[in-house]
Amino acid sequence: MGEEAAAPAGPAAASESPAPHAPAPMTDIHDILPPVPVGIDAPWLVPVLLALAAAAILAAAWWWWKKRRKARAIETLVPELPPEMTAMQALKEIADVRRLDGKTFYFRLSAILRQYVFGRFAVGAPEMTTEEFLPCIDRLPVDSDLARGLRSLCRAMDPVKFGGETVVEKQMETDLFFAREFVQKTTLADEAENKGEQHIVLPPDDGNSKKQIPNRK
């Protein structure tokens, strides 16, 4: 009887066995996240940069205007030298004829004389050819000997300047002396005319008053 009483317990034990496990929910897969904004989100940054750029432009314009104004003020403070001083300084720079070849010497001598004539008599000599300049010499208010000497010198310089003609140092010194004398005498004549006085021609300041104006043929 003990075996019969224990027999019904078998099916009941079978019914009480645990059921199979259900699948676990998936937790490692997610939806794609939306884009994340990168950088500075500052709506005030663009106006600030534009304002800084405008300030920099204004500062540069102010600096340029101030510098230009200062340069113009300096120019007005320095008076322009009179034509005779400019010419004499330029003639002094070519006084040592041994350092210069004939072509260079006469190019510079011609430029000095033409610039002086422009400054003294308001004649556009620097832009003229020799053939254009020669008739103007006859109309200059200068002594006839000076006018004749200037015409002769202008004619004699062209073959050296443009034709390669050689010239000796002695002739260069003579022509340099005439250029100095031309500047000095026309300056004195102009000053005397402005004062309404009869002018007296002084000898050149190089201590050699016996030299005469070159007489070219």
Side-chain angles (χ1 to χ4, degrees):
M1 289 189 61
E3 294 178 0
E4 289 179 0
S15 62
E16 292 178 0
S17 60
H21 292 286
M26 301 178 66
T27 58
D28 57 343
I29 298 177
H30 305 281
D31 292 336
I32 300 175
L33 296 175
V36 177
V38 179
I40 300 175
D41 185 13
W44 50 266
L45 184 60
V46 173
V48 169
L49 292 177
L50 292 176
L52 290 176
I57 293 173
L58 291 175
W62 178 82
W63 176 84
W64 177 84
W65 174 81
K66 186 176 180 181
K67 183 177 180 181
R68 181 176 177 83
R69 183 181 179 185
K70 183 178 180 180
R72 294 180 64 180
I74 293 175
E75 290 177 0
T76 57
L77 292 176
V78 179
E80 184 179 357
L81 293 176
E84 66 273 10
M85 291 186 64
T86 303
M88 295 302 287
Q89 288 181 2
L91 291 172
K92 186 177 180 180
E93 293 177 359
I94 61 173
D96 189 0
V97 298
R98 294 169 296 180
R99 297 187 301 106
L100 303 172
D101 61 274
K103 183 176 182 179
T104 301
F105 174 81
Y106 282 107
F107 260 111
R108 295 178 64 176
L109 182 64
S110 176
I112 293 169
L113 285 172
R114 287 169 178 261
Q115 189 63 38
Y116 171 74
V117 170
F118 170 74
R120 173 64 66 196
F121 305 107
V123 175
E127 290 79 27
M128 294 180 180
T129 64
T130 301
E131 296 304 319
E132 293 171 340
F133 182 44
L134 289 177
C136 296
I137 296 176
D138 296 330
R139 297 192 293 270
L140 295 178
V142 300
D143 180 79
S144 59
D145 289 337
L146 290 177
R148 188 183 310 110
L150 183 59
R151 285 196 304 270
S152 299
L153 179 57
C154 289
R155 291 193 186 98
M157 286 190 291
D158 278 1
V160 184
K161 291 164 56 180
F162 305 111
E165 183 176 306
T166 58
V167 62
V168 296
E169 292 180 0
K170 185 64 177 179
Q171 185 61 53
M172 295 164 64
E173 291 176 351
T174 302
D175 293 335
L176 181 63
F177 172 82
F178 168 76
R180 289 188 181 128
E181 190 170 27
F182 182 86
V183 172
Q184 289 175 336
K185 288 185 176 181
T186 52
T187 299
L188 292 173
D190 184 71
E191 292 175 352
E193 183 178 353
N194 291 336
K195 294 179 181 179
E197 302 173 354
Q198 184 178 3
H199 70 277
I200 300 175
V201 177
L202 300 177
D205 58 355
D206 60 352
N208 191 351
S209 60
K210 295 182 179 180
K211 290 186 177 180
Q212 300 297 325
I213 299 174
N215 185 15
R216 294 180 179 271
K217 296 182 180 180

